[in-house]
Amino acid sequence: MQKPPFPAALAATLFLLLLLLHPALAEIKSPKITSDARSMILFEKFGFTHTGHVAISVSSVSVLSSLSRPDPSRLGFFLLSEESLIQVLIELQQQSEQSQPFCVLDSQYIKPLFTFRDLSPPPNTSFSQSYPVTAPNEYSLFFSNCAPESRVTMDVRTEVYNLDAGGIKDYLSAGLTHLPSLFFLFSVVYFGFLGFWIYICLTNRRSVHRIHLLMCGLILMKALNLICAAEDKHYVKVTGTPHGWDILFYIFQFIRVVLLFTVIVLIGTGWSFLKPFLQEKEKKVLMIVIPLQVLANVASVVIGETGPFIKDWVTWNQVFLLVDIICCCAIIFPIVWSIRSLRETSKTDGKAARNLAKLTLFRQFYIVVIGYLYFTRIVVFALKTIAAYKYQWVSNAAEEIASLAFYMVMFYMFRPVEKNEYFALDDEEEEAAEIALRDEEFEL
């Protein structure tokens, strides 16, 4: 007797895919499925309005089975909403308790589209159809293979979109249709920020260090990254494809992320502020962070340019999350080392007031970095998870606002001015500073 499918594995697959996948951006995709034995393949996740449509074309379909000839009605495409997922999982559990095989295509909570029974006869074995989505919601487009011991090969073309008031196709999910305007607005802000930073550097040339030039490059890359993101999303919105803007987006994103982590590490070490060189352990941090960021960006490209229909998509997501966590932890160490080094130095060099100012600045920077990493990694993810599908853009706005606030605070703290926290101290403050340095408030 054929064993029923493993319901726990199927449930875990469904939940993990829907948790990791955010609403898609490039809404015309043409994946090729080759000899795939997965029971569930997720193609898209999209927020539909009442004028939504999903068009699917499959061709060159073949199903190979080591058992008897598979029933074509056991293979097909369907839509599943977030709310219905819970009901499907309950059905799955109930069937499991009764030791009966469960096929999601039989569930009353899905929106079936078509099965392989609707395919044209060989040798073409193809099907093409457009379906209206009249119930506004966020749906995931799945392919289900309930035929045991079978492998599917097919060429798939998916096109999901909403129609705007003028009847024009909008290929961005209902909650992401405002992203082009949002990213363009922030790019203008960063270009203005760049101009202001250049002005500060020119008016304080004697206090400009090499780190300030890197910070200038960082703002430039952030602005270019956002303008390319705006163009990328705009072309996806109107045509369904990015027209090459995604390549520029990934290039500037890679440079920007590497520069951001490098600048944080260098500021944390006090490079060009406190010393003109890096110690061996600080060089090792950079040698760890930069290659890991290269790997993280490769994972980001794979995640963004493919989709959950590839077999290793979840693995690439896990690689990206793991590498990002490692990098976030690594960049904290130089700041902690600098705080401890300054505290030890303050006991012997007789410059209590200046060391107190430096300690205060680095401790504030430590708190700012921790806050930024916490917000952009945890709070933003929580917003993406709990926000209604129509308001998915809110998490993007929150991330950009937090990033802008972090950049402004960091740049203000380490701006090139002659009389800043490092140097604008009178001798009269020495006694009070010595007392403060004896306190334990700077211990981490």
Side-chain angles (χ1 to χ4, degrees), residues 103-234:
C103 181
V104 70
L105 293 173
D106 297 327
S107 174
Q108 60 179 319
Y109 299 104
I110 68 169
K111 181 178 175 61
L113 299 179
F114 69 93
T115 67
F116 279 10
R117 180 172 287 177
D118 301 311
L119 298 177
S120 61
N124 295 325
T125 57
S126 61
F127 183 85
S128 181
Q129 183 69 44
S130 178
Y131 302 89
V133 180
T134 55
N137 206 335
E138 186 176 56
Y139 292 94
S140 298
L141 174 62
F142 280 98
F143 169 76
S144 177
N145 177 6
C146 295
E149 303 296 330
S150 63
R151 294 180 176 273
V152 178
T153 298
M154 59 181 171
D155 295 333
V156 183
R157 185 181 187 275
T158 61
E159 184 176 348
V160 288
Y161 57 87
N162 296 307
L163 297 177
D164 63 15
I168 300 174
K169 293 180 180 179
D170 183 350
Y171 289 95
L172 285 182
S173 179
L176 304 178
T177 190
H178 301 297
L179 286 187
S181 301
L182 179 70
F183 289 146
F184 179 76
L185 174 62
F186 276 99
S187 70
V188 172
V189 173
Y190 275 99
F191 276 118
F193 189 1
L194 174 62
F196 183 67
W197 183 254
I198 293 174
Y199 169 76
I200 291 177
C201 290
L202 290 177
T203 53
N204 297 274
R205 294 180 184 178
R206 297 178 61 183
S207 301
V208 172
H209 298 273
R210 285 172 291 175
I211 190 66
H212 295 126
L213 302 181
L214 282 178
M215 294 164 77
C216 184
L218 173 59
I219 307 178
L220 177 61
M221 290 303 107
K222 178 65 175 177
L224 292 175
N225 185 211
L226 282 169
I227 197 69
C228 289
E231 287 297 317
D232 177 27
K233 303 305 178 287
H234 169 72

Side-chain angles (χ1 to χ4, degrees), residues 332-352:
I332 296 300
F333 286 106
I335 307 174
V336 176
W337 294 336
S338 292
I339 292 175
R340 289 179 177 175
S341 176
L342 284 169
R343 187 169 180 81
E344 291 299 319
T345 304
S346 67
K347 298 176 181 178
T348 58
D349 67 356
K351 299 177 180 178

